[in-house]
Amino acid sequence: MEEVLRRENLMRAHARVVQNGGAAGVDGMTVDELMPHCREHWARIREELLQGTYRPQLVRRVEIPKPGGSGTRTLGIPTVVDRLIQQALLQVLQPIFDPTFSDGSFGFRPGRSAHDAVRRARSHIAAGHRWVVDLDLEKFFDRVNHDVLMARVARRVKDPGVLRLIRRYLQAGMMDGGLVSPRTEGTPQGGPLSPLLSNILLDDLDRELERRAHRFARYADDCNVYVQSRAAGERVLTSLERFLSKRLRLRINREKSAVARPWQRKFLGYTVTVHREPKLRIAPQSIYRLKTRLRERLRAGRGRSLSRTVADLTPLLRGWVGYFRLTEVKGSFEDLDAWLRRRCRCILWRQWKRPRTRAKELTRRGLDPTRARVSASNGRGPWWNAGASHMHAAVPTAVLRGWGLLSLLDEQRRLQGAS
């Protein structure tokens, strides 16, 4: 605990909490108010932490939709003071636990990323393990057993004050709409300590897979095991279901888990081709989710200039391409580029509204007046016209690029060249 409360450690933790930002907890305090609050109250908080009498505040419950619209995910937002203490704990505990974790674990670990997990998965498939056991842990962060988790933390942490504080964070009540519900299980996402605790618990799963000499890649609660036949995969799924239930008191969601070919499943947003040397490609579900987000933003931009709408899209598109830059199948980027260009032309067609305005705009942009007049009054809808030759001629790709529309394919090539 003395190491946790060391001034240098706390200053690093404060910088990280401020950098991460995030919403306020139940007390309404923002990260900007954290330092003034600590100047006034930290002596008392420190003494309570050393004496073992500190009680974390309630956690604010927030429900966010899961990707793809399949239900909601519960987030627990601690107060900024508790985020500071959790971050300070994390900075001391991570160097103790992380070196002991499995080489097949990639989530929330320094120097490791989702890209590393995806590359590892591809290497297992390329080595001939062309069946995947895709494990889905049912409501993992909501179902973590506190006693099972604390027993594993206590293997390496002997300070009773630290153990007591971690358990209190696990048991901190959750507030939703003014109502408080106690917590007897789970470690909701939202606090700095939860990712490390999830890795500590699931390290038992990693070690069991290693003991059985299985090839696998795990990122948080996303775990794929690669085998050489469907029969082997079914045996692995059944035996892991027993192991997780008995050892960790976790359940596998049988509806979402499967034994299948890797190109029929997705892992961290990616999938692979059927080639003997598999190529990474973007999973169809990931493309669908991007299009859904883009549609919402494009719809909101109908009443303003297209250049402003395009500028609003750019950060989202850059981030998305940055994540999927490992893709080796370029067709997805090409198709998305064409879809985006058509969406932009569709916005313009809607903004022009009347046939007379459309004819005028088409003529102004270089079309023959007769062709412009016929095209403007063809009676077809905006989406059809956005894909028609008259809009391609009037608003070519070069014009859209001039307004700032990002080419996903060009951006990916740039990122790959930079790396």
Side-chain angles (χ1 to χ4, degrees):
M1 184 62 78
E2 286 78 4
E3 182 66 21
V4 171
L5 297 177
R6 194 165 49 86
R7 177 178 172 79
E8 293 79 7
N9 188 54
L10 288 169
M11 293 307 292
R12 271 203 307 136
H14 176 268
R16 177 54 63 91
V17 169
V18 171
Q19 178 186 347
N20 290 343
V26 294
D27 61 356
M29 188 187 303
T30 66
V31 292
D32 295 331
E33 299 169 306
L34 177 57
M35 184 59 82
H37 178 85
C38 286
R39 288 195 185 102
E40 185 176 350
H41 299 283
W42 185 252
R44 172 185 57 80
I45 296 170
R46 177 187 171 84
E47 190 61 28
E48 289 178 359
L49 287 166
L50 288 171
Q51 295 297 323
T53 58
Y54 180 80
R55 296 279 176 179
Q57 295 187 65
L58 297 170
V59 174
R60 185 164 68 87
R61 181 189 183 102
V62 177
E63 299 280 347
I64 61 170
K66 286 185 176 179
S70 57
T72 60
R73 176 177 286 118
T74 301
L75 295 185
I77 310 298
T79 63
V80 289
V81 172
D82 283 322
R83 296 212 291 269
L84 171 68
I85 298 169
Q86 285 195 37
Q87 181 65 36
L89 274 168
L90 174 68
Q91 290 168 183
V92 173
L93 295 177
Q94 189 135 33
I96 296 171
F97 283 97
D98 193 79
T100 70
F101 289 152
S102 165
D103 187 51
S105 166
F106 295 91
F108 312 118
R109 297 184 60 190
R112 291 179 161 234
S113 68
H115 286 170
D116 297 322
V118 169
R119 290 188 186 101
R120 179 67 58 87
R122 179 182 58 182
S123 71
H124 292 327
I125 301 165
H129 295 71
R130 294 168 68 81
W131 288 88
V132 62
V133 183
D134 187 355
L135 292 177
D136 184 276
L137 300 179
E138 188 174 296
K139 295 184 177 179
F140 169 70
F141 285 94
D142 298 334
R143 295 275 170 82
V144 169
N145 183 283
H146 292 172
D147 292 334
V148 172
L149 172 57
M150 289 308 302
R152 279 143 184 82
V153 175
R155 290 172 183 172
R156 295 189 173 275
V157 177
K158 303 305 178 186
D159 186 330
V162 171
L163 293 172
R164 189 186 306 115
L165 182 59
I166 293 173
R167 185 176 279 275
R168 284 177 181 168
Y169 274 121
L170 289 172
Q171 294 176 338
M174 189 171 280
M175 179 178 283
D176 183 16
L179 299 176
V180 178
S181 55
R183 285 226 312 272
T184 57
E185 62 178 5
T187 169
Q189 296 159 278
L193 207 51
S194 290
L196 176 63
L197 295 178
S198 69
N199 275 335
I200 291 172
L201 183 65
L202 290 176
D203 191 55
D204 275 29
L205 171 61
D206 299 339
R207 296 305 174 190
E208 179 65 13
L209 291 170
E210 288 179 342
R211 188 184 68 78
R212 300 181 187 185
H214 286 314
R215 294 175 177 245
F216 71 98
R218 182 178 67 79
Y219 190 95
D221 57 333
D222 284 334
C223 184
N224 279 3
V225 185
Y226 296 89
V227 295
Q228 293 180 306
S229 70
R230 176 182 285 279
E234 296 292 353
R235 288 195 301 270
V236 168
L237 181 57
T238 301
S239 63
L240 288 179
E241 187 171 30
R242 285 196 304 268
F243 171 83
L244 288 164
S245 176
K246 184 177 179 181
R247 181 77 69 85
L248 302 180
R249 300 189 194 177
L250 295 171
R251 290 206 295 264
I252 287 178
N253 186 330
R254 275 285 186 166
E255 289 184 5
K256 294 184 178 179
S257 300
V259 177
R261 294 292 196 178
W263 46 88
Q264 296 170 336
R265 307 292 292 182
K266 66 179 178 70
F267 181 52
L268 302 177
Y270 284 86
T271 186
V272 295
T273 64
V274 300
H275 301 102
R276 186 156 299 280
E277 285 293 328
K279 295 181 179 181
L280 292 174
R281 65 185 183 92
I282 306 169
Q285 300 95 317
S286 301
I287 295 172
Y288 175 79
R289 285 199 294 269
L290 175 67
K291 284 185 173 182
T292 300
R293 294 176 68 186
L294 289 173
R295 281 191 190 97
E296 292 170 358
R297 298 199 182 193
L298 289 166
R299 202 172 291 122
R302 288 179 184 172
R304 56 183 178 175
S305 70
L306 186 57
S307 57
R308 256 187 78 191
T309 301
V310 165
D312 287 345
L313 296 180
T314 300
L316 168 62
L317 294 173
R318 284 194 192 282
W320 195 85
V321 176
Y323 181 76
F324 286 105
R325 67 180 181 272
L326 299 184
T327 302
E328 297 163 295
V329 178
K330 311 299 183 186
S332 298
F333 288 125
E334 292 171 347
D335 292 345
L336 278 168
D337 276 335
W339 181 86
L340 264 172
R341 292 193 295 268
R342 188 168 180 177
R343 281 281 163 188
C344 289
R345 293 181 181 116
C346 188
I347 288 175
L348 286 175
W349 190 261
R350 287 180 184 277
Q351 288 178 344
W352 295 341
K353 292 183 179 178
R354 296 183 180 85
R356 182 183 297 175
T357 306
R358 288 168 178 167
K360 180 182 175 183
E361 288 292 339
L362 291 173
T363 303
R364 186 170 70 84
R365 295 167 188 272
L367 260 69
D368 174 81
T370 302
R371 184 187 176 193
R373 206 163 41 250
V374 172
S375 299
S377 55
N378 60 37
R380 303 270 194 164
W383 184 246
W384 184 91
N385 277 284
S389 60
H390 54 268
M391 281 300 283
H392 278 260
V395 191
T397 301
V399 169
L400 294 173
R401 292 283 177 269
W403 287 338
L405 182 64
L406 190 72
S407 165
L408 305 186
L409 185 59
D410 290 349
E411 179 69 6
Q412 192 231 11
R413 286 170 176 162
R414 185 187 69 80
L415 291 171
Q416 285 188 336
S419 61

Coordinates of all heavy atoms in Angstrom, one line a residue, residues 211-250:
R211 N -1.4 -26.3 -21.1 CA -1.2 -27.7 -20.6 C -1.6 -28.7 -21.6 O -1.0 -29.8 -21.8 CB -1.9 -27.8 -19.3 CG -1.6 -29.1 -18.5 CD -2.4 -29.3 -17.3 NE -3.8 -29.5 -17.6 CZ -4.3 -30.7 -18.0 NH1 -3.5 -31.7 -18.1 NH2 -5.6 -30.8 -18.2
R212 N -2.7 -28.4 -22.3 CA -3.2 -29.4 -23.3 C -2.6 -29.2 -24.7 O -2.9 -29.9 -25.7 CB -4.7 -29.2 -23.5 CG -5.6 -29.4 -22.2 CD -7.0 -29.2 -22.5 NE -7.9 -29.2 -21.4 CZ -9.2 -29.1 -21.4 NH1 -9.8 -29.0 -22.6 NH2 -9.9 -29.1 -20.3
A213 N -1.6 -28.3 -24.8 CA -0.9 -28.0 -26.0 C -1.8 -27.5 -27.1 O -1.5 -27.8 -28.3 CB -0.1 -29.2 -26.5
H214 N -2.8 -26.7 -26.8 CA -3.7 -26.2 -27.8 C -3.1 -24.9 -28.3 O -2.4 -24.1 -27.6 CB -5.1 -25.8 -27.2 CG -5.9 -27.0 -27.0 ND1 -6.0 -28.0 -27.9 CD2 -6.7 -27.4 -25.9 CE1 -6.9 -29.0 -27.4 NE2 -7.2 -28.6 -26.2
R215 N -3.4 -24.5 -29.6 CA -3.0 -23.2 -30.2 C -4.2 -22.3 -30.0 O -5.4 -22.7 -30.3 CB -2.7 -23.4 -31.6 CG -1.5 -24.2 -31.9 CD -1.3 -24.4 -33.4 NE 0.0 -25.2 -33.6 CZ 1.0 -24.7 -34.3 NH1 1.0 -23.4 -34.7 NH2 2.1 -25.4 -34.5
F216 N -4.0 -21.1 -29.4 CA -5.1 -20.2 -29.1 C -4.6 -18.8 -29.1 O -3.4 -18.5 -29.1 CB -5.7 -20.6 -27.7 CG -4.8 -20.2 -26.6 CD1 -5.0 -19.0 -25.9 CD2 -3.8 -21.0 -26.2 CE1 -4.2 -18.7 -24.8 CE2 -3.0 -20.7 -25.1 CZ -3.2 -19.5 -24.4
A217 N -5.6 -17.9 -29.2 CA -5.4 -16.4 -29.0 C -6.5 -15.9 -28.2 O -7.7 -16.2 -28.5 CB -5.3 -15.8 -30.4
R218 N -6.2 -15.2 -27.1 CA -7.2 -14.6 -26.3 C -7.0 -13.1 -26.1 O -5.9 -12.6 -25.9 CB -7.2 -15.2 -24.9 CG -8.4 -14.7 -24.0 CD -8.4 -15.4 -22.7 NE -7.2 -15.0 -21.8 CZ -7.1 -13.9 -21.2 NH1 -8.0 -13.0 -21.2 NH2 -6.0 -13.7 -20.5
Y219 N -8.1 -12.3 -26.3 CA -8.1 -10.9 -26.1 C -9.2 -10.6 -25.1 O -10.4 -10.6 -25.5 CB -8.2 -10.1 -27.4 CG -8.0 -8.6 -27.2 CD1 -6.7 -8.1 -27.4 CD2 -9.0 -7.8 -26.8 CE1 -6.5 -6.7 -27.3 CE2 -8.7 -6.4 -26.6 CZ -7.5 -5.9 -26.8 OH -7.2 -4.5 -26.7
A220 N -8.9 -10.3 -23.8 CA -10.0 -10.2 -22.8 C -10.8 -11.4 -22.8 O -10.3 -12.5 -22.6 CB -10.8 -8.9 -23.0
D221 N -12.1 -11.3 -23.0 CA -13.0 -12.5 -22.9 C -13.3 -13.1 -24.3 O -14.1 -14.0 -24.4 CB -14.3 -12.2 -22.2 CG -15.1 -11.1 -22.8 OD1 -14.5 -10.2 -23.5 OD2 -16.3 -11.0 -22.7
D222 N -12.6 -12.6 -25.3 CA -12.7 -13.2 -26.7 C -11.6 -14.2 -26.8 O -10.4 -13.8 -26.8 CB -12.5 -12.1 -27.8 CG -13.8 -11.3 -27.9 OD1 -14.9 -11.8 -27.6 OD2 -13.6 -10.1 -28.4
C223 N -11.9 -15.5 -26.9 CA -10.9 -16.5 -27.0 C -11.2 -17.5 -28.1 O -12.3 -18.0 -28.2 CB -10.9 -17.3 -25.6 SG -9.6 -18.6 -25.6
N224 N -10.2 -17.7 -29.0 CA -10.4 -18.7 -30.1 C -9.3 -19.7 -29.9 O -8.1 -19.4 -29.7 CB -10.2 -18.0 -31.4 CG -11.4 -17.3 -31.9 OD1 -12.4 -17.2 -31.2 ND2 -11.4 -16.7 -33.1
V225 N -9.7 -21.0 -30.0 CA -8.8 -22.1 -30.0 C -8.8 -22.8 -31.3 O -9.9 -23.1 -31.9 CB -9.3 -23.2 -28.9 CG1 -8.2 -24.3 -28.8 CG2 -9.5 -22.5 -27.5
Y226 N -7.6 -23.1 -31.9 CA -7.5 -23.6 -33.2 C -7.1 -25.1 -33.2 O -6.1 -25.4 -32.6 CB -6.5 -22.7 -34.0 CG -7.0 -21.3 -34.2 CD1 -6.7 -20.3 -33.2 CD2 -7.8 -20.9 -35.2 CE1 -7.2 -19.1 -33.3 CE2 -8.4 -19.7 -35.3 CZ -8.0 -18.7 -34.4 OH -8.5 -17.4 -34.4
V227 N -7.9 -25.9 -33.9 CA -7.7 -27.3 -34.0 C -7.7 -27.8 -35.4 O -7.9 -27.0 -36.3 CB -8.8 -28.1 -33.1 CG1 -8.6 -27.7 -31.7 CG2 -10.2 -27.7 -33.6
Q228 N -7.6 -29.1 -35.6 CA -7.4 -29.6 -37.0 C -8.6 -30.3 -37.5 O -8.6 -30.8 -38.7 CB -6.2 -30.5 -37.0 CG -4.9 -29.8 -36.9 CD -3.7 -30.6 -36.9 OE1 -3.6 -31.6 -36.2 NE2 -2.7 -30.3 -37.8
S229 N -9.7 -30.5 -36.7 CA -10.9 -31.2 -37.2 C -12.1 -30.7 -36.4 O -12.0 -30.2 -35.3 CB -10.7 -32.7 -37.1 OG -10.8 -33.1 -35.7
R230 N -13.3 -30.9 -37.0 CA -14.5 -30.5 -36.3 C -14.7 -31.4 -35.0 O -15.1 -30.9 -33.9 CB -15.7 -30.7 -37.2 CG -17.0 -30.4 -36.5 CD -18.2 -30.6 -37.3 NE -18.4 -29.6 -38.3 CZ -19.0 -28.4 -38.0 NH1 -19.4 -28.1 -36.8 NH2 -19.1 -27.5 -39.0
A231 N -14.4 -32.7 -35.1 CA -14.5 -33.6 -34.0 C -13.7 -33.1 -32.8 O -14.1 -33.1 -31.6 CB -14.2 -35.0 -34.4
A232 N -12.4 -32.7 -33.1 CA -11.5 -32.2 -32.1 C -12.1 -30.9 -31.5 O -12.0 -30.7 -30.2 CB -10.1 -32.0 -32.6
G233 N -12.6 -30.1 -32.3 CA -13.2 -28.9 -31.8 C -14.4 -29.1 -30.9 O -14.5 -28.4 -29.8
E234 N -15.3 -30.0 -31.2 CA -16.4 -30.3 -30.4 C -15.9 -30.9 -29.0 O -16.5 -30.5 -28.0 CB -17.3 -31.4 -31.0 CG -18.0 -30.9 -32.3 CD -19.0 -29.8 -32.1 OE1 -19.3 -29.5 -30.9 OE2 -19.5 -29.2 -33.1
R235 N -14.9 -31.7 -29.0 CA -14.4 -32.2 -27.7 C -13.8 -31.1 -26.9 O -14.0 -31.1 -25.7 CB -13.3 -33.3 -28.0 CG -13.8 -34.6 -28.5 CD -12.7 -35.7 -28.4 NE -11.5 -35.4 -29.2 CZ -11.3 -35.7 -30.4 NH1 -12.2 -36.3 -31.1 NH2 -10.1 -35.3 -31.0
V236 N -13.1 -30.2 -27.6 CA -12.4 -29.1 -26.8 C -13.5 -28.2 -26.2 O -13.4 -27.8 -25.1 CB -11.5 -28.3 -27.8 CG1 -11.1 -26.9 -27.1 CG2 -10.3 -29.1 -28.1
L237 N -14.6 -27.9 -27.0 CA -15.6 -27.0 -26.5 C -16.3 -27.6 -25.3 O -16.6 -27.0 -24.3 CB -16.6 -26.8 -27.6 CG -17.8 -25.9 -27.3 CD1 -17.3 -24.5 -26.8 CD2 -18.8 -25.7 -28.5
T238 N -16.6 -28.9 -25.4 CA -17.3 -29.6 -24.2 C -16.4 -29.6 -23.0 O -16.9 -29.4 -21.9 CB -17.7 -31.0 -24.6 OG1 -18.6 -31.0 -25.8 CG2 -18.4 -31.7 -23.5
S239 N -15.1 -30.0 -23.2 CA -14.2 -30.1 -22.0 C -14.0 -28.7 -21.4 O -13.9 -28.5 -20.2 CB -12.9 -30.7 -22.4 OG -12.2 -30.0 -23.4
L240 N -13.8 -27.6 -22.3 CA -13.6 -26.3 -21.7 C -14.9 -25.8 -21.0 O -14.7 -25.0 -20.0 CB -13.2 -25.3 -22.8 CG -11.8 -25.5 -23.4 CD1 -11.6 -24.5 -24.5 CD2 -10.8 -25.3 -22.3
E241 N -16.0 -26.2 -21.4 CA -17.3 -25.8 -20.7 C -17.2 -26.3 -19.3 O -17.6 -25.6 -18.4 CB -18.5 -26.3 -21.5 CG -19.8 -25.8 -21.0 CD -21.0 -26.1 -21.9 OE1 -20.9 -27.2 -22.6 OE2 -21.9 -25.4 -21.9
R242 N -16.8 -27.6 -19.2 CA -16.7 -28.2 -17.8 C -15.7 -27.5 -17.0 O -15.9 -27.2 -15.8 CB -16.4 -29.7 -18.0 CG -17.5 -30.6 -18.4 CD -17.2 -32.0 -18.1 NE -16.0 -32.5 -18.7 CZ -15.9 -33.1 -19.9 NH1 -17.1 -33.2 -20.6 NH2 -14.8 -33.5 -20.4
F243 N -14.5 -27.2 -17.6 CA -13.4 -26.6 -16.9 C -13.8 -25.2 -16.4 O -13.6 -24.9 -15.2 CB -12.2 -26.5 -17.8 CG -11.0 -25.7 -17.2 CD1 -10.1 -26.2 -16.3 CD2 -10.9 -24.3 -17.5 CE1 -9.1 -25.5 -15.8 CE2 -9.9 -23.6 -17.0 CZ -9.0 -24.2 -16.1
L244 N -14.4 -24.4 -17.2 CA -14.7 -23.1 -16.8 C -15.8 -23.1 -15.7 O -15.8 -22.2 -14.8 CB -15.2 -22.3 -18.0 CG -14.1 -21.9 -19.1 CD1 -14.8 -21.5 -20.4 CD2 -13.3 -20.8 -18.5
S245 N -16.8 -24.0 -15.8 CA -17.8 -24.0 -14.8 C -17.3 -24.5 -13.5 O -17.6 -23.9 -12.4 CB -18.9 -25.0 -15.3 OG -19.9 -25.1 -14.3
K246 N -16.4 -25.5 -13.5 CA -15.9 -26.1 -12.2 C -14.8 -25.2 -11.6 O -14.9 -25.0 -10.4 CB -15.4 -27.5 -12.5 CG -15.0 -28.2 -11.3 CD -14.5 -29.6 -11.6 CE -14.1 -30.4 -10.4 NZ -13.6 -31.8 -10.7
R247 N -13.9 -24.8 -12.4 CA -12.7 -24.1 -11.9 C -13.0 -22.6 -11.6 O -12.6 -22.0 -10.6 CB -11.5 -24.3 -12.8 CG -10.2 -23.6 -12.3 CD -9.5 -24.4 -11.2 NE -9.0 -25.7 -11.8 CZ -7.8 -25.8 -12.4 NH1 -7.1 -24.7 -12.5 NH2 -7.5 -27.0 -12.9
L248 N -13.6 -21.9 -12.6 CA -13.8 -20.5 -12.5 C -15.2 -20.0 -12.3 O -15.5 -18.8 -12.2 CB -13.2 -19.8 -13.8 CG -11.7 -20.1 -14.1 CD1 -11.3 -19.4 -15.4 CD2 -10.8 -19.7 -13.0
R249 N -16.1 -21.0 -12.3 CA -17.6 -20.7 -12.2 C -18.1 -19.7 -13.2 O -18.8 -18.7 -12.9 CB -17.8 -20.1 -10.8 CG -17.4 -21.1 -9.6 CD -17.9 -20.6 -8.3 NE -17.2 -21.4 -7.2 CZ -17.4 -21.1 -5.9 NH1 -18.2 -20.1 -5.6 NH2 -16.8 -21.8 -5.0
L250 N -17.6 -19.9 -14.4 CA -18.1 -19.1 -15.6 C -18.8 -20.0 -16.5 O -18.6 -21.2 -16.6 CB -16.8 -18.5 -16.3 CG -16.0 -17.5 -15.5 CD1 -14.8 -17.1 -16.3 CD2 -16.8 -16.2 -15.2

